[in-house]
Amino acid sequence: NAYIVSQKPAPEGFWIALVIDAEKDWHTYWVNPGDSGLPSKIAWELPAGFRADEIQWPYPERMEHPPLVTYGYHGRVLLPIRIHPPKGWSSATPFALKGKASWLICQDLCLPAKEEVEWKWPNAINETLDEQTAQVAEALSKLPQNPAQDPMLAFQAATDSARLEVSASTDSANARAARSLEFFPADSSALDHSVELEQGSALGRHRWIRKLRAGAPARVQGVAVLFGPGDRATAWTVSLDVKPGDIPRLETTAGADLPFRWLWMFALAF
């Protein structure tokens, strides 16, 4: 199911989160779902003068279904959205945020889902406002950051015409603490997922390498995630010029052995 949690509303704006509460073995999709799938959406019915920004996407998981790769979230996910009240609004004024949420949920099969959601002020759901605020804060902590916040962190993109490499130097404390780099492209149409991903660290850089379908893009955008020990991860929004050059090979990282049957069921769902 789906519902909304929120910070305490403030005249200067406040954060809410659309919660897609899926079972842990099911998954929903990121803004770029990859080779299959659909991103979650919400169509708002807002009070007069209120505005809602676009969904802000926490970094996703890579899910391999050879020869396809998708990006999304297993289980419960919170998608932050910034709400802007009208000028002159005060927190003493009641309001209701209403919307129609829609998402695609998949396991061995895929099912389209939708639900009408509503959040009222003063608050009228079971969780306290403090509990909701903590959930929103956790969701915001998983949003990608601007690399400018870490001046020592340097990302690069390169191509040898056959492959694309995204890498991060280990000069930064964030990068030195990491064990691996994952890249989630905003547009994955140029990538050939039938060939295994190369991932590793060499020559003072964490490296992520994918085969290209055809010509190399001039620029790549997306989210780079540095994974450290345990569950520690830092995510960064990147926009990189792709420079020509040699790309030394790394050991390939085998994809997860996940069922392929759901792809056929996805077609039947529609």
Side-chain angles (χ1 to χ4, degrees):
N1 66 323
Y3 57 95
I4 294 171
V5 293
S6 178
Q7 298 175 330
K8 182 178 179 180
E12 65 272 17
F14 57 99
W15 287 96
I16 68 167
L18 172 64
V19 183
I20 308 294
D21 198 4
E23 295 291 333
K24 65 179 181 180
D25 293 332
W26 291 75
H27 62 268
T28 54
Y29 291 94
W30 189 48
V31 60
N32 170 23
D35 292 327
S36 185
L38 294 168
S40 301
K41 297 180 179 180
I42 185 165
W44 288 109
E45 298 173 16
L46 297 175
F50 279 72
R51 293 185 298 108
D53 289 345
E54 297 295 321
I55 290 173
Q56 300 299 298
W57 297 88
Y59 65 85
E61 307 167 42
R62 170 168 47 92
M63 296 177 282
E64 301 217 7
H65 321 274
L68 306 182
V69 170
T70 59
Y71 310 119
Y73 312 96
H74 278 95
R76 184 172 182 263
V77 63
L78 287 84
L79 304 175
I81 302 165
R82 184 77 173 174
I83 300 295
H84 302 274
K87 186 176 180 180
W89 178 85
S90 78
S91 58
T93 306
F95 67 90
L97 304 175
K98 298 180 181 180
K100 296 178 180 178
S102 59
W103 63 98
L104 186 69
I105 185 167
C106 300
Q107 191 192 48
D108 290 349
L109 55 84
C110 286
L111 301 171
K114 59 184 178 180
E115 187 163 346
E116 294 187 2
V117 295
E118 182 177 22
W119 192 89
K120 294 181 179 180
W121 177 254
N123 181 43
I125 69 171
N126 293 332
E127 295 161 307
T128 69
L129 193 58
D130 285 346
E131 289 172 333
Q132 293 182 59
T133 298
Q135 292 181 57
V136 173
E138 181 182 359
L140 292 172
S141 74
K142 295 180 180 179
L143 295 183
Q145 306 171 58
N146 186 330
Q149 295 179 18
D150 183 349
M152 297 297 291
L153 183 59
F155 291 100
Q156 294 179 359
T159 183
D160 60 5
S161 297
R163 294 178 299 155
L164 172 70
E165 176 184 76
V166 175
S167 65
S169 71
T170 54
D171 296 334
S172 157
N174 280 299
R176 283 196 301 273
R179 293 180 176 174
S180 65
L181 169 68
E182 186 71 60
F183 179 62
F184 300 100
D187 180 356
S188 54
S189 60
L191 304 179
D192 183 352
H193 291 137
S194 67
V195 178
E196 287 183 313
L197 171 69
E198 297 176 66
Q199 266 179 316
S201 298
L203 306 175
R205 304 191 70 80
H206 297 299
R207 303 172 63 205
W208 176 100
I209 303 168
R210 273 286 189 193
K211 189 177 184 298
L212 291 165
R213 295 182 195 272
R219 192 169 185 83
V220 291
Q221 296 177 313
V223 174
V225 184
L226 292 164
F227 287 99
D231 294 331
R232 185 178 185 277
T234 57
W236 309 87
T237 302
V238 296
S239 181
L240 306 168
D241 291 327
V242 180
K243 298 180 180 179
D246 294 331
I247 301 177
R249 290 206 171 270
L250 289 168
E251 294 295 325
T252 56
T253 301
D257 185 17
L258 295 178
F260 190 71
R261 178 161 54 96
W262 71 271
L263 294 168
W264 299 100
M265 298 304 294
F266 170 81
L268 295 177
F270 294 92

